[in-house]
Amino acid sequence: MKTNVLLNNGVKMPLLGLGIYAPGEKNEVRNAVSHALELGYRLLDTASIYQNEEEVGQGFKDSGLAREKVFITSKVWRDEQGYVQTLRAYDKSLKRLQTDYIDLYLIHWPVRTGLKETWQALEQLYEEKRVKAIGVSNYYEPHLKELFEYANVIPAVNQFEFSPFLYLPNVVNFCIDHKIQPEGYAPLVRGEKAQHPVLVDIAEKHRKSTYQVLIRWSMQHNVVTIPKSVNPDRIKANFDVWDFQLSPMEMDSLDQLHDGTRVADDPMTYL
Ligand SMILES: NC(=O)c1ccc[n+]([C@@H]2O[C@H](COP(=O)([O-])OP(=O)(O)OC[C@H]3O[C@@H](n4cnc5c(N)ncnc54)[C@H](OP(=O)(O)O)[C@@H]3O)[C@@H](O)[C@H]2O)c1
């Protein structure tokens, strides 16, 4: 299985990365990031609201890797939206991350105030080559259609909640049809479904954990996935998913698990 996807502007993005929504204890995120990078992770997913960009930057520095070897995503939060506010928020994220560019900068949620101006600020950053790619998060079809009315740059990525329990082929296909790479968050459903019998059965057949099956399911849908962990063993296990393959029948039975389970808000409430 390939390790990267190609975005609509030619930028390469790893298919599997580290989610970093972890308020956590001091140095927890820093250690998780440097450990993950040591193991081969090359995609880090943070956001200004996670309040851990400093530690992400420190963990990256600790790894000793060259900046261009690591793909860093951050996001502009709800209360930072608007043209000037977004440009300011981007600069603050850069400073906290101790870097001079972010690989992928996303609008975190489609809140109603200043959405168009926020996107125009992202386009400005992109035009000035201060960011490698821009995108959105928690956008469903109506949000994307609205954005298309004023966008000069089509988002490279749309990040939304995605697991077999929230299997959204319509959103995925709409993105693919418009050359937007889908990226799934909360792929592990925060552990809520780890004991589901269908998952347990498939995991046992492959001698993997149900968490590894969930990660692999996203990857086989060609959806970039960012399982979160700050635990060294679990960070390692979540990356040990390259040596098995779910059969078409297994993929199908996982697809059937959709029951609308969410860990975050429904974007349709942001219309
Ligand atoms: N764009 C958005 O609006 C948005 C919203 C939510 C999340 N996200 C992003 O997506 C990432 C992932 O989503 P998420 O953090 O909500 O949930 P998740 O990745 O589905 O689940 C994370 C939880 O599972 C545990 N875990 C991880 N690997 C495990 C394993 N192998 N065995 C047992 N438990 C395991 C973690 O605990 P330990 O850390 O203790 O291992 C943590 O409690 C976030 O961190 C964030 O980067 C984005």
Side-chain angles (χ1 to χ4, degrees):
M1 163 158 270
K2 59 182 186 203
T3 55
N4 290 295
V5 294
L6 204 57
L7 303 182
N8 61 17
N9 62 353
V11 166
K12 266 199 230 164
M13 179 178 190
L15 183 61
L16 170 60
L18 183 71
I20 322 182
Y21 177 52
E25 315 201 337
K26 187 156 170 48
N27 287 335
E28 194 177 56
V29 163
R30 178 178 185 165
N31 294 336
V33 165
S34 66
H35 182 62
L37 292 173
E38 213 171 282
L39 290 168
Y41 283 78
R42 290 294 178 265
L43 164 62
L44 305 172
D45 185 82
T46 186
S48 60
I49 191 65
Y50 302 169
Q51 297 188 353
N52 58 24
E53 289 172 305
E54 283 97 347
E55 287 208 17
V56 171
Q58 287 161 345
F60 161 69
K61 284 258 151 81
D62 294 344
S63 77
L65 285 167
R67 176 64 188 87
E68 64 274 14
K69 296 287 181 203
V70 180
F71 189 107
I72 300 178
T73 302
S74 193
K75 315 182 191 87
V76 50
W77 185 238
R78 296 168 182 169
D79 63 6
E80 296 169 322
Q81 297 217 18
Y83 188 79
V84 178
Q85 295 89 325
T86 298
L87 294 178
R88 215 177 283 146
Y90 185 74
D91 284 339
K92 285 188 186 160
S93 282
L94 287 186
K95 204 163 168 203
R96 288 190 292 258
L97 285 161
Q98 300 170 63
T99 184
D100 54 7
Y101 71 90
I102 287 170
D103 293 272
L104 176 65
Y105 197 47
L106 304 177
I107 297 184
H108 207 145
W109 279 94
V111 291
R112 305 316 300 167
T113 326
L115 205 52
K116 178 178 172 186
E117 292 75 16
T118 303
W119 185 251
Q120 287 170 338
L122 262 60
E123 289 184 333
Q124 175 76 24
L125 292 167
Y126 183 64
E127 272 158 34
E128 289 174 357
K129 301 198 186 327
R130 298 188 59 210
V131 60
K132 299 281 179 202
I134 55 175
V136 292
S137 177
N138 297 299
Y139 274 48
Y140 284 174
E141 190 174 323
H143 308 102
L144 286 168
K145 280 187 170 157
E146 184 186 297
L147 179 138
F148 293 155
E149 285 170 19
Y150 53 78
N152 293 315
V153 178
I154 297 301
V157 171
N158 180 19
Q159 183 186 110
F160 50 89
E161 188 169 348
F162 188 69
S163 79
F165 303 91
L166 192 63
Y167 176 46
L168 304 170
N170 291 348
V171 183
V172 172
N173 290 333
F174 188 81
C175 287
I176 291 168
D177 288 349
H178 291 84
K179 300 195 167 34
I180 300 170
Q181 172 63 44
E183 177 178 21
Y185 71 70
L188 310 174
V189 207
R190 295 192 181 154
E192 278 176 34
K193 302 283 188 178
Q195 300 306 324
H196 192 288
V198 171
L199 270 176
V200 170
D201 190 44
I202 294 175
E204 278 173 0
K205 280 195 190 115
H206 290 279
R207 297 180 185 210
K208 290 284 177 183
S209 73
T210 55
Y211 292 87
Q212 290 167 318
V213 169
L214 287 171
I215 294 164
R216 187 74 201 188
W217 176 85
S218 285
M219 291 161 67
Q220 286 187 217
H221 272 298
N222 211 31
V223 171
V224 171
T225 188
I226 43 172
K228 175 262 170 180
S229 182
V230 289
N231 172 290
D233 294 337
R234 295 198 279 271
I235 292 174
K236 185 163 192 257
N238 293 350
F239 204 66
D240 181 18
V241 290
W242 303 96
D243 61 349
F244 76 111
Q245 184 155 15
L246 300 169
S247 70
M249 250 171 68
E250 288 168 335
M251 286 297 285
D252 194 50
S253 57
L254 290 168
D255 292 352
Q256 306 297 325
L257 294 180
H258 174 76
D259 61 4
T261 301
R262 292 177 186 278
V263 305
D265 287 352
D266 182 349
M268 292 308 282
T269 60
Y270 292 78
L271 276 178

